[in-house]
Amino acid sequence: MNYRDLIVLDFETGSRNPHKTQPTQIAAVAIHGRKLKLQPGGTFNSEIRPILDDDKAIEMGLDPLEDEALEITNKTRKQLAKAPAPKQVWQKFSNFVNKYNFKKTQFFAPIPVGYNINGFDMHIVERMCQQYGPTNKKTNEQGLFSKINKIDVMDIIWLWTENNPDIKSISMDSMRDWMGLSTENAHDALKDVKDTANILIRFMKFYRSMAPKTKFEKAFADGKLFV
């Protein structure tokens, strides 16, 4: 039974490559692992100042900001120039996450949650931890979240929609439309994490209601195998 809290997080970025993109915003909400409710003080949101000089960004191995990405996230270079530095934001974010690590060890660290978190956001988390900490002393991997568990809500959506001919896309925008969520302020990180958290909680409540009624113990003991 899970007692660790869930941190639903999202980065807005200046390009698409998670290994080289510059974060321009990070937001997160902390969800109680048992109650599935927002924790007290459980909201984090901050813009992040990127390197605005394209040549300098390239020199440092990063992608320059792309106009298309800025348009999607409704940000401007002038606005981002006033944002706090990445190190400052990451230290505050790390402190926010650690509030919900009730034994202050990585074995009890919160579980990271996101939409396409495995393919995008966790790569940025790893980069930020490598640059600013914390890292696991034994493995040198990110030391902020659970070492084992990650929840990618996009994977959950795929499992429930892969046989539905009406679903043409499992993008977040498509899921907002399908599930009746407002698209106002879409691609703002805080809006995205709140929508992701609501989708996750809906599915987890459903799982919790159905799991006791479904028998998995010795489910293959009668020899009926599919492969």
Side-chain angles (χ1 to χ4, degrees):
M1 183 173 285
N2 174 56
Y3 289 96
R4 288 166 296 169
D5 288 337
L6 311 171
I7 302 291
V8 187
L9 66 109
D10 181 62
F11 288 96
E12 298 300 337
T13 62
S15 62
R16 296 184 180 183
N17 183 345
H19 302 287
K20 297 176 67 178
T21 192
Q22 298 191 69
T24 57
Q25 183 187 6
I26 181 172
V29 291
I31 305 300
H32 192 285
R34 297 310 310 153
K35 299 177 182 177
L36 299 182
K37 293 182 178 180
L38 183 69
Q39 283 279 38
T43 301
F44 182 91
N45 183 32
S46 178
E47 290 186 333
I48 305 172
R49 184 172 73 239
I51 298 171
L52 298 171
D53 185 306
D54 289 355
D55 292 335
K56 187 176 180 181
I58 293 171
E59 182 181 332
M60 296 186 67
L62 301 171
D63 287 338
L65 297 184
E66 298 176 359
D67 290 337
E68 181 183 3
L70 294 177
E71 185 177 350
I72 290 172
T73 59
N74 196 31
K75 300 185 188 303
T76 66
R77 286 173 169 80
K78 184 177 180 180
Q79 172 187 354
L80 292 172
K82 300 177 182 178
K87 182 177 181 179
Q88 179 185 353
V89 175
W90 193 251
Q91 288 174 341
K92 289 183 177 180
F93 177 70
S94 297
N95 291 337
F96 169 80
V97 174
N98 284 328
K99 286 195 304 182
Y100 306 101
N101 183 340
F102 59 92
K103 289 198 175 181
K104 306 305 178 187
T105 73
Q106 200 172 6
F107 292 103
F108 293 92
I111 297 172
V113 182
Y115 205 90
N116 192 27
I117 194 174
N118 291 332
F120 195 78
D121 301 88
M122 285 307 295
H123 292 293
I124 304 176
V125 167
E126 188 66 47
R127 284 171 46 201
M128 300 293 274
C129 283
Q130 291 297 327
Q131 191 166 3
Y132 305 118
T135 57
N136 184 295
K137 293 180 180 179
K138 292 183 178 180
T139 65
N140 199 36
E141 297 173 327
Q142 67 85 17
L144 190 58
F145 294 103
S146 169
K147 294 196 301 181
I148 300 172
N149 301 110
K150 295 184 289 291
I151 302 175
D152 196 321
V153 177
M154 189 172 72
D155 290 342
I156 296 173
I157 293 292
W158 185 86
L159 285 171
W160 283 93
T161 63
E162 57 86 22
N163 196 42
N164 186 335
D166 296 328
I167 302 297
K168 306 302 180 185
S169 169
I170 58 170
S171 69
M172 189 64 182
D173 287 338
S174 295
M175 289 304 105
R176 284 189 176 104
D177 183 61
W178 187 56
M179 300 189 80
L181 291 166
S182 170
T183 59
E184 186 176 357
N185 295 325
H187 302 292
D188 174 80
L190 186 57
K191 161 70 171 172
D192 289 353
V193 294
K194 288 181 177 180
D195 286 350
T196 301
N198 281 313
I199 294 171
L200 173 74
I201 291 169
R202 183 68 178 266
F203 274 105
M204 288 189 71
K205 286 182 177 291
F206 177 71
Y207 294 154
R208 288 181 180 183
S209 69
M210 292 300 295
K213 304 174 186 178
T214 306
K215 185 176 180 181
F216 289 106
E217 185 179 1
K218 297 182 180 179
F220 300 107
D222 61 1
K224 292 181 181 179
L225 303 177
F226 304 111
V227 178

